[in-house]
Amino acid sequence: MDEIVLIRVTGEDKPGILHALTDVLAHHEVRILDIGQAVIHNTLSLGLIIHIPEEQSSAPVIKDVLFRAHELGVQLTFEPVSGEEHEAWVKEQGSRRYIVTLMAREVSSRQVERVSGVLSSHSMNIHSVTRLSGRISLANPEDAPRGCVEFTVRGEPQDPDAIRTEFMEISREEGVDIGFQEDNVYRRNRRLICFDMDSTLIQAEVIDELAREAGVMDKVAAITESAMRGELDFKQSLRHRVSYLEGLPVSVMDNVAERIQLTDGARRLFGNLRKLGYKVAILSGGFTYFGRKLQQELGIDYVHANELEMKDGKLTGRVDGEIVDGARKAALLQEIARKENLDLQQVVAVGDGANDLPMLHLAGLGIAFHAKPVVRRDARQSISTLGLDSILYLLGMSDREALE
């Protein structure tokens, strides 16, 4: 009778353990049905499912493996697996897989407990857990400014939106960001990322800064905030705000550009995106003048924003050409994806305001970044705790792989 055996190996990790054990199995011409290994703090956890055909006896195999394990200084346990159990396990490979990404300044046991509790309550099984952030030094904690753990999960949730809602509640209460994506071929094959500019790539709303120069900051900022919350029509609100800038010298825009700061993590993110071969676009309700500055600084491929009309060295208080609002951002995202011959599932969109929601919904991965509450509630993914470079975690990239 054929035998299926699960071998569990634990002990201090060191080179050559897998080679030595599989050397024994190879000598007996044993088939390996599955294999998995993890190492935590130099402690090895290795599992193998082996198939011993009917014409062979398991006793010599187990005896020789035990002897070799003793030489290696590792511990072994053996567990017989029935044919029915094995076939049931094989059939599970057709179930959907999801990736849950937990991101925080520091990952705590309470955060992990609550996330795993949500998954358990929805009958989802954690298949593997991987730390994407760097190792944590207690002597130099500043060397690990962020924490991230990635869970690979199997199951068929009845209501994925309910899981997202529960994760959002945990995020609010525990100061953590939780990504929840289906693990499919597109997740590992993103190729285009489209950013909003103001309050996403940069730490300001440019029109408010221009209004500061014109002495009308309070009036314009109030309209901007209302528009970003989705309370006003974006096109009308933009025209209204720009009208306050009539007569402002064009030279002022250089002063504003010089003082605006990039968002935390932007340089690290863009360095890695270039290394990975991503195409990058700015799709902004802000202004092309500032988008071009960022294009030169960060190596951005596409810039689509609004043109401020100028005459005799001054702003006229009008916008020249078609206004880039939410609908236009979505249309531009589709246009660029077609030009790059990409499926929309290969596109990432990042923004903070209500006018970003159309493109966030359209992209395969839509991320609300330090966004208004209405945007966080409506977007599938949200980052509110870490910097812009934490997007790399949602792309499945670890700190070890990232270009610092």
Side-chain angles (χ1 to χ4, degrees):
M1 179 179 180
D2 288 6
E3 292 186 70
I4 303 172
V5 180
L6 169 61
I7 304 174
R8 295 189 180 93
V9 185
T10 58
E12 182 183 353
D13 184 45
K14 54 190 172 184
I17 292 175
L18 181 62
H19 168 70
L21 296 176
T22 53
D23 178 60
V24 174
L25 298 177
H27 174 74
H28 289 278
E29 297 184 349
V30 169
R31 183 183 179 192
I32 296 176
L33 299 177
D34 195 21
I35 184 170
Q37 176 176 308
V39 177
I40 298 179
H41 213 272
N42 294 327
T43 299
L44 170 71
S45 178
L46 169 65
L48 304 102
I49 297 179
I50 63 171
H51 173 236
I52 304 172
E54 186 175 2
E55 60 270 17
Q56 292 180 245
S57 169
S58 62
V61 178
I62 291 174
K63 177 177 72 69
D64 289 351
V65 171
L66 277 170
F67 182 75
R68 186 62 60 87
H70 177 73
E71 292 180 329
L72 295 167
V74 295
Q75 294 75 51
L76 261 63
T77 61
F78 299 89
E79 180 182 330
V81 179
S82 70
E84 292 78 9
E85 289 173 324
H86 177 71
E87 291 307 313
W89 171 78
V90 170
K91 290 178 181 177
E92 288 179 0
Q93 67 185 336
S95 61
R96 289 186 179 180
R97 294 205 319 177
Y98 292 84
I99 298 295
V100 177
T101 312
L102 189 158
M103 301 169 283
R105 292 296 175 190
E106 294 181 357
V107 175
S108 70
S109 55
R110 172 62 65 189
Q111 295 162 358
V112 175
E113 181 271 332
R114 294 197 64 182
V115 168
S116 58
V118 170
L119 296 172
S120 177
S121 70
H122 287 269
S123 301
M124 302 192 73
N125 187 48
I126 298 172
H127 182 69
S128 64
V129 183
T130 305
R131 174 177 47 80
L132 296 185
S133 52
R135 293 179 179 179
I136 300 170
S137 168
L138 296 180
N140 299 291
E142 65 278 2
D143 292 344
R146 54 193 168 263
C148 179
V149 176
E150 180 183 272
F151 303 80
T152 303
V153 182
R154 289 188 181 274
E156 298 287 347
Q158 296 296 312
D159 190 353
D161 287 339
I163 295 176
R164 289 191 176 91
T165 298
E166 291 177 54
F167 282 162
M168 189 178 298
E169 184 69 13
I170 295 171
S171 297
R172 185 181 63 81
E173 295 176 356
E174 302 293 340
V176 62
D177 295 318
I178 307 168
F180 182 59
Q181 311 173 58
E182 185 174 353
D183 187 19
N184 54 35
V185 66
Y186 294 114
R187 190 187 77 86
R188 300 180 296 277
N189 195 31
R190 314 285 190 198
R191 285 295 175 266
L192 168 65
I193 182 164
C194 300
F195 291 93
D196 174 46
M197 183 170 62
D198 296 28
S199 297
T200 300
L201 279 183
I202 57 176
Q203 299 180 49
E205 291 288 334
V206 169
I207 193 164
D208 293 352
E209 296 305 311
L210 292 173
R212 188 192 305 277
E213 297 289 335
V216 290
M217 172 69 172
D218 291 345
K219 294 178 180 178
V220 170
I223 301 171
T224 300
E225 191 66 23
S226 184
M228 292 303 99
R229 291 194 299 265
E231 298 168 354
L232 299 174
D233 174 78
F234 183 82
K235 288 183 178 181
Q236 290 181 351
S237 73
L238 182 67
R239 290 191 183 100
H240 187 190
R241 286 175 286 166
V242 170
S243 69
Y244 283 107
L245 305 180
E246 183 179 0
L248 191 67
V250 171
S251 59
V252 165
M253 294 202 290
D254 278 334
N255 300 334
V256 171
E258 286 176 8
R259 70 170 179 257
I260 289 177
Q261 299 295 311
L262 287 173
T263 298
D264 179 43
R267 293 190 189 280
R268 181 171 181 265
L269 172 62
F270 275 79
N272 281 280
L273 293 177
R274 286 196 297 270
K275 183 177 76 170
L276 294 170
Y278 272 73
K279 294 292 184 178
V280 182
I282 287 178
L283 305 180
S284 174
F287 305 115
T288 304
Y289 179 89
F290 299 91
R292 297 294 182 202
K293 295 276 189 182
L294 290 175
Q295 184 176 34
Q296 294 173 3
E297 186 173 355
L298 298 174
I300 294 168
D301 300 284
Y302 300 93
V303 173
H304 294 280
N306 297 302
E307 293 283 357
L308 287 169
E309 187 180 78
M310 306 172 191
K311 187 175 182 180
D312 299 328
K314 295 182 179 181
L315 300 184
T316 66
R318 293 187 295 271
V319 177
D320 188 15
E322 183 177 1
I323 289 178
V324 178
D325 62 355
R328 181 63 179 152
K329 288 186 180 187
L332 288 166
L333 182 148
Q334 291 177 296
E335 181 181 307
I336 297 171
R338 282 194 299 269
K339 182 176 180 179
E340 297 292 340
N341 196 29
L342 298 174
D343 189 285
L344 288 176
Q345 288 296 314
Q346 295 176 274
V347 180
V348 182
V350 186
D352 73 300
N355 66 324
D356 295 313
L357 281 172
M359 74 172 183
L360 298 187
H361 290 158
L362 198 60
L365 177 61
I367 305 168
F369 181 76
H370 289 254
K372 311 301 182 288
V374 65
V375 183
R376 289 201 304 271
R377 287 194 301 269
D378 212 11
R380 292 191 298 274
Q381 314 296 336
S382 176
I383 295 175
S384 299
T385 304
L386 300 181
L388 208 57
D389 53 342
S390 60
I391 290 171
L392 295 171
Y393 292 142
L394 292 179
L395 300 177
M397 193 172 186
S398 69
D399 284 350
R400 178 179 58 82
E401 298 166 318
L403 173 70
E404 291 292 346

